[in-house]
Amino acid sequence: MSDGTPLGEFFRARREALKPQEVGLPEYGRRRVPGLRREEVALLAGVSSDYYMRLEQGREKSPSPQVVDAVATALKLDDEAVEHLRRLTRAPYESRSLVAGDEQVDAQLLQLLGSWLDTPAFVLGPALDVLAHNSLAAALHSGFQRFDNLARMVFVDPAGRDFYQAWERAAHSCVAELRAAYGYDPESPRINEVVRTLSTKSSEFADLWPRHEVDSVALLPAGVVSVTEGSSLWSPALSCRRE
């Protein structure tokens, strides 16, 4: 994916997305870099420029919680981004990578899906793979080439742009969901495989992924059951499909 660390890449992307006036700093003349300078973030966070540079370059991998909170405040991160940042700092010590096909759907959850006769529902893995679905969900997505991975369906399948009424919002949501899952497990072979594939096949995905945005708009299709960190979550009808 890149030579940097996930933590350093996140800091750099969010720094470059901020304008000086957004954090109360004056903007003098022409800047050679987008967004804030490293030394400006360091000043706002109350750390040395050298220390912050080491964070971005991946030479400092274990910042204290106080430093994490200070940099998060300097970068004006919202609650979701702060939580994502904290996951990135914990990830190297909480390895739990799964290869494709390792995710298992609980038998009781499968039985529950089958009992929903009037609601389309499916189970998503961390990489947005469709792990299981009921018959209505299959019928709802019958226009797609394959009902296999939500991100692929949004970005690569031609049916995606007709299926989603607000395609750009759905695209942002998919990327944010993948980013959040990546924060739990940056070394996940399956997540990295999906990101590499979509980056090659979709210029829109290749543009969105490096932004490190995790403030997802809940736009998954109606009746989604998602699986994250081994737990199940029922999401109410938040549909972005055409009626």
Side-chain angles (χ1 to χ4, degrees):
M1 303 242 301
S2 80
D3 295 329
T5 64
L7 181 63
E9 291 170 1
F10 178 78
F11 280 143
R12 183 170 58 254
R14 301 309 289 253
R15 170 177 63 83
E16 292 177 349
L18 268 181
K19 295 181 174 60
Q21 57 267 32
E22 292 181 278
V23 295
L25 292 176
E27 184 172 1
Y28 298 115
R30 184 176 181 182
R31 288 180 168 245
R32 292 180 296 175
V33 295
L36 298 182
R37 300 183 179 97
R38 289 192 183 101
E39 56 267 26
E40 290 172 332
V41 176
L43 176 65
L44 291 167
V47 299
S48 71
S49 297
D50 179 68
Y51 182 83
Y52 180 76
M53 183 180 295
R54 294 203 305 271
L55 282 174
E56 279 204 7
Q57 293 176 342
R59 293 185 288 129
E60 174 57 60
K61 300 178 182 179
S62 302
S64 69
Q66 293 82 2
V67 167
V68 169
D69 289 344
V71 176
T73 299
L75 294 175
K76 300 184 76 65
L77 301 182
D78 61 20
D79 291 343
E80 288 180 87
V82 171
E83 183 56 35
H84 178 71
L85 171 57
R86 289 171 179 162
R87 288 196 296 268
L88 287 176
T89 62
R90 297 193 301 265
Y93 312 102
E94 299 178 356
S95 178
R96 50 184 165 275
S97 296
L98 294 174
V99 298
D102 277 356
E103 298 109 329
Q104 298 294 322
V105 181
D106 186 83
Q108 290 182 326
L109 183 55
L110 290 173
Q111 185 177 7
L112 178 63
L113 288 177
S115 70
W116 284 335
L117 303 179
D118 300 316
T119 303
F122 54 92
V123 181
L124 291 177
L128 299 189
D129 291 309
V130 178
L131 305 180
H133 57 79
N134 64 10
S135 58
L136 278 181
L140 178 66
H141 297 86
S142 61
F144 288 91
Q145 294 172 346
R146 299 191 306 278
F147 184 27
D148 58 349
N149 179 278
L150 198 63
R152 186 203 66 79
M153 292 160 65
V154 168
F155 284 97
V156 179
D157 198 306
R161 293 180 186 268
D162 291 327
F163 184 83
Y164 292 98
Q165 185 173 12
W167 183 88
E168 289 188 2
R169 294 179 66 194
H172 278 267
S173 179
C174 275
V175 174
E177 292 287 342
L178 278 174
R179 267 293 171 201
Y182 180 79
Y184 283 107
D185 189 6
E187 301 302 320
S188 165
R190 179 54 184 160
I191 294 175
N192 281 278
E193 177 187 10
V194 170
V195 170
R196 282 192 299 268
T197 300
L198 293 180
S199 296
T200 300
K201 295 186 176 182
S202 169
S203 59
E204 291 97 337
F205 183 90
D207 176 65
L208 289 173
W209 181 252
R211 299 184 190 181
H212 288 255
E213 296 173 348
V214 292
D215 46 344
S216 172
V217 179
L219 281 176
L220 296 180
V224 172
V225 178
S226 60
V227 175
T228 305
E229 285 279 278
S231 62
S232 304
L233 173 66
W234 164 250
S235 176
L238 296 170
S239 177
C240 56
R241 61 185 171 81
R242 293 188 182 276
E243 300 296 343

